[in-house]
Amino acid sequence: MPTRTAEQRRQAEKAAYDAYLAACPTRKLLDEIAGKWVSLVLVALGDGPRRYSDLSRRIAGVSQKMLTQTLRVLERDGLIHREVTPSVPVRVDYSLTPLGESLRALVAGFKDWAEANFDAVDAARADYDARTPDLTIEPGGSG
């Protein structure tokens, strides 16, 4: 039997990914990139590099801890680049990598959809709540 090349092994491993399986590493990646702060950071960086303080102002409600954690996860995953410019004070800029830009394009579509369709979703929620008064679903919850 012939030995598989590195590319063939990589393709076989890639084909084996199935996010429906709990042990699949893509499940954790989906969990990470589906977070609201990740989505908002990626879309905010779509306009070009931004400093931490710019991101903090742009994304209302994000705590310093969550923004810092989100930026670290995105940098580790290769989705953003962190550039430190030695100065007083030190200047740190965040920008999208090509991989991050490819994800931003998808995430921006979700953001745009949410903004364009919120009134219809809100009306559907009100209708559902009127028909099923005994069920309470918390905002952002699934049941």
Side-chain angles (χ1 to χ4, degrees), residues 72-143:
R72 286 181 181 160
V73 166
L74 292 172
E75 183 180 9
R76 181 174 184 257
D77 288 347
L79 299 171
I80 65 169
H81 174 72
R82 179 178 183 264
E83 184 171 343
V84 179
T85 304
S87 61
V88 179
V90 172
R91 180 183 174 109
V92 180
D93 291 289
Y94 296 91
S95 59
L96 294 172
T97 63
L99 185 62
E101 179 57 40
S102 69
L103 180 57
R104 186 215 56 85
L106 296 170
V107 171
F110 284 119
K111 176 190 158 292
D112 293 345
W113 182 92
E115 292 169 347
N117 291 285
F118 181 78
D119 290 340
V121 171
D122 196 41
R125 288 175 178 171
D127 181 57
Y128 177 90
D129 292 346
R131 289 182 287 116
T132 56
D134 294 340
L135 293 176
T136 302
I137 298 177
E138 296 297 322
S142 60

Side-chain angles (χ1 to χ4, degrees), residues 34-88:
K36 67 180 172 184
W37 302 124
V38 167
S39 302
L40 294 173
V41 166
L42 290 174
V43 174
L45 289 174
D47 295 333
R50 289 184 182 259
R51 297 176 76 175
Y52 182 95
S53 58
D54 296 333
L55 289 168
S56 183
R57 279 191 298 276
R58 179 76 176 119
I59 305 169
V62 66
S63 68
Q64 181 178 353
K65 177 183 175 183
M66 285 309 303
L67 182 55
T68 298
Q69 285 178 352
T70 300
L71 290 168
R72 286 181 181 160
V73 166
L74 292 172
E75 183 180 9
R76 181 174 184 257
D77 288 347
L79 299 171
I80 65 169
H81 174 72
R82 179 178 183 264
E83 184 171 343
V84 179
T85 304
S87 61
V88 179

Side-chain angles (χ1 to χ4, degrees), residues 18-37:
D18 183 350
Y20 290 112
L21 301 175
C24 184
T26 60
R27 172 86 64 99
K28 183 171 179 5
L29 178 59
L30 282 173
D31 286 344
E32 287 177 4
I33 63 175
K36 67 180 172 184
W37 302 124

